[in-house]
Amino acid sequence: MTARPFARARTATALALAGSLLLAGCTGEADDDATATTGGPEQGADAEQAAADPGTATVADQAMAEQKLATPHGSDAAPGGEVTVTLRAVEVGDGVMTVRWALRWDDDAAPADAGVSWYDMSVEPATTVTDRAGLKAYRPFCTEGAWQEDTDSATDAALAQIRCRESMLVSPLEKHSFEFPNHGAVEVSAVLPAPEGEPATVDVLPAEGLPLFTDATVTYRDGAAE
């Protein structure tokens, strides 16, 4: 795995530590805010509009940080080659945060028209942004369900999270039929609640099963990095 100097790839131990921090962040106001913003139709419409017009980044021209790794897999029929994960931008404006990144799959041993899906790679396209200083974690808006349902029933909470994962404002979201083409890059975006306190940097996990990017610069819609 390689990374540009200002994005430090974490080992499995560091990822475990990051996971502990995410749990701490999810127990406070961050999750309350994220859950609330997925429920109201007016707020959901605002988030969907932000997904259509998420900010000022010219995604094809930006590369904040980049990491390469062997293609993730979760079965014996494992795809070969490697994936390149490029973090393009973290932008905040109009009450939402948009994370833009790209995934490229390269396998010289596979046919030129081959492809791999999220499912093939055992990757869940749920972006997580963590403000370590503020001890808060943010996940994508969803149009159904909730990341943390207000219920005492574990079953209802699990079902609500499944519905949320299936309706996240993440593109591409389809996990089976959509495929990343061999030797081709696909641009990915996710729309999340805007972070409280305007942190200057955040940690970004583009998708569950991919590497963590640390200290990613946040760009605010007025063009200034806070």
Side-chain angles (χ1 to χ4, degrees), residues 141-224:
F141 288 102
C142 50
T143 60
E144 297 180 16
W147 288 110
Q148 188 171 17
E149 184 80 337
D150 184 13
T151 177
D152 294 329
S153 168
T155 299
D156 289 346
L159 290 174
Q161 187 170 124
I162 289 172
R163 292 196 301 273
C164 190
R165 286 180 179 273
E166 291 175 344
S167 65
M168 296 181 293
L169 293 191
V170 174
S171 179
L173 180 60
E174 211 293 316
K175 300 172 191 175
H176 297 273
S177 61
F178 176 84
E179 292 187 335
F180 295 85
N182 196 8
H183 304 306
V186 173
E187 301 297 328
V188 187
S189 65
V191 181
L192 306 82
E196 298 178 8
E198 296 189 346
T201 61
V202 293
D203 294 346
V204 178
L205 186 67
E208 296 169 9
L210 295 179
L212 176 74
F213 290 91
T214 61
D215 300 323
T217 300
V218 181
T219 299
Y220 292 84
R221 186 64 67 86
D222 62 6

Side-chain angles (χ1 to χ4, degrees), residues 69-145:
L69 69 155
T71 305
H73 62 86
S75 68
D76 292 335
E82 68 176 13
V83 298
T84 302
V85 183
T86 304
L87 181 62
R88 299 223 184 272
V90 180
E91 290 193 325
V92 174
D94 298 328
V96 301
M97 169 169 54
T98 302
V99 176
R100 292 171 171 269
W101 59 284
L103 187 145
R104 178 185 174 98
W105 177 57
D106 291 287
D107 185 0
D108 291 337
D113 60 352
V116 292
S117 66
W118 291 124
Y119 179 81
D120 295 331
M121 296 185 290
S122 293
V123 171
E124 175 71 22
T127 302
T128 301
V129 173
T130 306
D131 173 12
R132 280 180 290 163
L135 293 178
K136 293 184 182 295
Y138 302 88
R139 309 204 80 182
F141 288 102
C142 50
T143 60
E144 297 180 16

Side-chain angles (χ1 to χ4, degrees), residues 4-55:
R4 298 190 180 189
F6 44 81
R8 301 188 297 277
R10 295 307 199 198
T11 62
T13 301
L15 284 172
L17 292 174
S20 299
L21 177 59
L22 295 181
L23 290 174
C26 287
T27 59
E29 293 180 6
D31 256 4
D32 292 340
D33 291 345
T35 300
T37 51
T38 61
E42 181 177 348
Q43 290 169 318
D46 290 343
E48 290 189 53
Q49 177 60 36
D53 180 20

